[in-house]
Amino acid sequence: MTAVRLDAAQLLDRAEGLAELLVDTVAGGASIGFLAPLDRAEAVAWWRERADAVAAGHLAVWAAHDGGRVVGTVSLAFPGKPNSRHRAELVKLMVHHDVRGQGLGRRLLDTAERAAVAAGVTLLHLDTETDSPAERLYRATGWTRAGVIPAYAASPQGVLRPTSLYYKQVARVDLG
């Protein structure tokens, strides 16, 4: 399974499949900004709303397929401020429950990190639910935890949980 970067038209074409992945991820308990149960139509609409950001270059989205089905995704959000063009936020890393444990999460993470470097980004950051499987992945792949914010985000069940903030230098920085 290889991840392919989607342009705005491809994102719209794959919105249904990306929505199925999003619904599966939320149903599996991942805290990625949605409450369970996530309505499929809401998930499709959410993905379609991302197309303008992709077209403008503010968001890069990759999708991994198994046959015709979307089984994984990761995105990079690029800030619009002049003083932050060296960094990006890693967002919405998701792997379908059917293919977890096969290294797809690591491959998606590597894809995003390599693309960030190619785009001139030197620093990535993200947030994730503390003690989640995702947090273990980030630690295992060289990300550094910067801290924990208590009761930051609600789990899909609506329970407030702590969130860990992570960063990773993906390229050398010349500090002058």
Side-chain angles (χ1 to χ4, degrees):
M1 290 170 268
T2 341
V4 176
R5 185 170 176 175
L6 306 179
D7 63 24
Q10 292 167 322
L11 176 68
L12 291 171
D13 287 344
R14 290 173 177 81
E16 297 280 339
L18 288 161
E20 288 178 24
L21 175 61
L22 179 56
V23 169
D24 174 75
T25 304
V26 172
S31 179
I32 55 173
F34 299 90
L35 298 176
L38 177 59
D39 179 71
R40 191 172 188 288
E42 180 184 348
V44 170
W46 185 86
W47 277 109
R48 287 186 177 145
E49 291 167 4
R50 312 275 82 75
D52 286 344
V54 169
H58 301 300
L59 182 69
V61 177
W62 289 265
H65 298 82
D66 185 9
R69 184 173 71 138
V70 177
V71 294
T73 188
V74 67
S75 299
L76 288 176
F78 301 98
K81 296 181 241 172
N83 74 338
S84 55
R85 292 191 179 130
H86 66 287
R87 68 179 185 241
E89 182 179 7
L90 187 102
V91 294
K92 302 298 185 263
L93 173 61
M94 295 181 260
V95 174
H96 194 280
H97 79 272
D98 287 345
V99 297
R100 287 192 189 136
Q102 299 176 28
L104 180 57
R106 282 179 186 260
R107 288 194 305 276
L108 288 165
L109 195 53
D110 184 60
T111 296
E113 290 175 8
R114 288 175 189 266
V117 171
V121 169
T122 59
L123 177 69
L124 292 174
H125 63 97
L126 62 85
D127 65 80
T128 192
E129 183 178 340
T130 303
D131 296 327
S132 67
E135 187 175 32
R136 288 189 291 281
L137 171 65
Y138 299 129
R139 283 186 178 181
T141 54
W143 287 70
T144 301
R145 183 159 71 172
V148 176
I149 303 172
Y152 181 77
S155 71
Q157 296 72 35
V159 177
L160 291 179
R161 300 276 303 132
T163 294
S164 295
L165 306 176
Y166 280 84
Y167 69 92
K168 186 173 187 179
Q169 292 284 162
V170 291
R172 285 188 147 257
V173 178
D174 181 12
L175 300 176

